[in-house]
Amino acid sequence: MNVVAAADKVSDRGGGSGRVGGAVRAMGRALHFPFTGTARGIRRATHAHGAGESGLGKLIELHAVNGAGDVMVTVALASTVFFSVPTDEARGRVALYLAITMAPFTVLAPVIGPLLDRLPHGRRAAMAGAMLARALLALVISGAVATGGLELYPAALGVLVASKAYGVVRSAVVPRLLPPRFSLVKANSRVTLAGLLATGAAAPVGAGLHALGDPWPLYGAFLIFVGGTFLSFSLPPTVDSAKGEDVALLAADEQHLHGPCRRLAKRPGLRTVGPAVTHALGANAALRCLSGFLIFFLAFLLREHPLTGQNAAVSLGIVGVAAGAGNALGTAVGAWLRSRAPEIIIVTVVAVVLGASVVAGLFFGAFLVACLAAVAGFGQALAKLALDALIQRDVPELVRTSAFARSETLLQMAWVFGGAVGIVMPLNGTVGLLVGAAFVAVGWLSTMRGLVASARHSGRPQPSVA
């Protein structure tokens, strides 16, 4: 009996210990679940519909990391590059270093895409290099923020260069990672939307880190970009393979004719992209030029003349949120429309952006500036997805990857040009926004006839793949 009683006591103690251990484990799971559950949910979303097997899911996650890191740097620079020195001095420094750092990028940009197509392991290494460069530059900026050194400006613009270079390579990578029966429009909309969501989630985190001190968002950016460096090499090896690819020519036909006298080719050449793509690219370049212009012009304009009742930082935040919301809406609408009449979509959205720019310039005011930012973001996202649909429809698969790289390079160059003009413009809202409208008008008028004619003569588009 004593033996049995002793055994019962031991069993009771063991059971109590087990219950305590179980309670601790349950509490641990409860505390851990918000993180692991969120991570699993994100992984399910990014890897859905075959994206996990093809490697597209990892690219989606990499682009989210890219967006989070970029917004951390933006938050850190919001109170330094634009607000720490007088406006005229800041404009002069930014213009000088824009010429020093972005001009070489503009000159070399046309060869970046084809060069990466031919380098073994070039694309993954290039994306990792862009991430690592921004990680190191974030540390340089953190030191410059503390000391007020001039190295802040070239480092900040170096981050922009690396970000643009990443964008060029990422555009070339997407066609290599398409799951079966997955359109380029759907893939690019997922990638873009992931970047926008990550940006929106990271912005308040960056603001919280900024409350601890100016360098802290940059330390966060350093960690994010280091993670992105390793994540770049986790992409499938097919990203680096150039098998079955050739170099695309951004020309409408075999004779590389340009201008209104160009005749519509019945079928693009094996290396040319066709008239619809060249016209769509011109229209998109106009919108990208406006984007670069508005970023720099409004940054300095709203510093001197904030929106009614707001300070400069809040004014920039309002415009930034409006642009991001418009971009997200344009991405969602583009994914819904898929490849339905892409030429007409481009003509329509560029006309809408042109109208918004003219109205905002003539009746300059806080509400209209925010509306213009939203409309420009919406138009840029939707027109880019329509361009993707045209590339998938008209460009031979042999040169499709190269066409994406070269087209994105041209769009980045247009952004640089618009930003350079935005820096040197007088800080007059009406004049500045009308100049931005002129960029869009030139792109619209020079491509509208060609796009409408292409939509009428190119025949019925190939059925979209959902």
Side-chain angles (χ1 to χ4, degrees):
M1 291 293 293
N2 291 336
V3 173
V4 173
D8 289 340
K9 291 180 180 179
V10 171
S11 176
D12 291 340
R13 285 196 297 267
S17 174
R19 285 192 294 271
V20 172
V24 170
R25 286 192 294 272
M27 183 178 295
R29 285 194 295 270
L31 294 174
H32 199 243
F33 178 76
F35 303 98
T36 58
T38 301
R40 284 195 294 267
I42 293 173
R43 177 56 61 92
R44 282 195 298 270
T46 58
H47 285 57
H49 305 111
E53 291 78 7
S54 71
L56 180 63
K58 290 187 176 180
L59 180 63
I60 293 173
E61 293 168 357
L62 177 63
H63 193 63
V65 169
N66 175 78
D70 276 346
V71 79
M72 288 284 188
V73 176
T74 301
V75 169
L77 294 178
S79 61
T80 54
V81 173
F82 298 118
F83 302 129
S84 63
V85 296
T87 301
D88 290 339
E89 183 180 349
R91 292 179 74 188
R93 291 183 182 182
V94 172
L96 173 63
Y97 289 112
L98 182 69
I100 292 174
T101 58
M102 296 295 250
F105 171 75
T106 304
V107 172
L108 295 175
V111 303
I112 290 177
L115 178 63
L116 291 172
D117 285 341
R118 286 167 167 74
L119 287 177
H121 309 294
R123 295 177 187 136
R124 287 190 296 183
M127 298 175 88
M131 292 285 181
L132 182 59
R134 281 179 286 174
L136 299 176
L137 288 170
L139 292 182
V140 173
I141 296 172
S142 68
V145 166
T147 62
L150 291 179
E151 65 270 17
L152 180 145
Y153 292 92
L157 292 171
V159 169
L160 290 178
V161 173
S163 179
K164 297 303 175 185
Y166 161 84
V168 170
V169 183
R170 190 262 301 169
S171 292
V173 166
V174 174
R176 305 292 300 181
L177 300 178
L178 288 181
R181 300 187 58 79
F182 213 89
S183 70
L184 282 168
V185 173
K186 187 174 182 179
N188 277 320
S189 63
R190 280 198 182 187
V191 172
T192 302
L193 189 58
L196 291 172
L197 292 175
T199 298
V205 176
L209 291 174
H210 189 269
L212 300 177
D214 292 343
W216 281 96
L218 296 163
Y219 298 151
F222 170 79
L223 295 176
I224 291 172
F225 286 133
V226 167
T229 302
F230 291 102
L231 188 59
S232 299
F233 287 110
S234 72
L235 294 173
T238 53
V239 168
D240 291 330
S241 173
K243 183 179 179 180
E245 295 181 11
D246 202 350
V247 178
L249 301 176
L250 296 184
D253 49 48
E254 294 291 356
Q255 287 73 38
H256 319 316
L257 297 177
H258 298 275
C261 296
R262 178 173 53 204
R263 292 180 299 174
L264 290 173
K266 292 183 179 179
R267 183 178 179 183
L270 291 179
R271 294 176 62 194
T272 55
V273 297
V277 174
T278 54
H279 286 303
L281 188 55
N284 272 268
L287 293 179
R288 197 68 67 93
C289 186
L290 176 67
S291 173
F293 174 83
L294 290 179
I295 286 174
F296 286 93
F297 176 71
L298 291 180
F300 290 110
L301 177 68
L302 295 179
R303 174 182 169 174
E304 290 295 298
H305 308 287
L307 300 179
T308 305
Q310 307 293 338
N311 60 33
V314 173
S315 299
L316 285 172
I318 291 173
V319 172
V321 169
N327 204 302
L329 180 60
T331 301
V333 172
W336 173 65
L337 291 175
R338 296 173 185 158
S339 58
R340 300 170 188 169
E343 296 100 334
I344 303 303
I345 289 174
I346 294 173
V347 170
T348 303
V349 298
V350 176
V352 171
V353 173
L354 174 59
S357 301
V358 172
V359 171
L362 294 177
F363 306 99
F364 182 79
F367 175 74
L368 290 178
V369 168
C371 287
L372 174 59
V375 171
F378 175 85
Q380 179 180 312
L382 187 53
K384 178 59 171 64
L385 291 175
L387 172 62
D388 294 343
L390 285 172
I391 291 177
Q392 184 173 30
R393 189 191 76 186
D394 292 353
V395 177
E397 186 176 358
L398 179 71
V399 295
R400 193 172 291 159
T401 295
S402 181
F404 267 99
R406 290 194 167 201
S407 63
E408 184 63 25
T409 299
L410 180 61
L411 296 180
Q412 301 293 9
M413 293 167 64
W415 185 92
V416 172
F417 174 77
V421 175
I423 289 175
V424 300
M425 279 295 299
L427 297 181
N428 182 297
T430 297
V431 173
L433 295 186
L434 289 179
V435 168
F439 290 148
V440 182
V442 170
W444 187 64
L445 293 174
S446 62
T447 61
M448 175 182 62
R449 180 181 299 179
L451 284 170
V452 173
S454 175
R456 190 166 52 244
H457 292 94
S458 61
R460 183 172 297 175
Q462 298 174 1
S464 61
V465 181

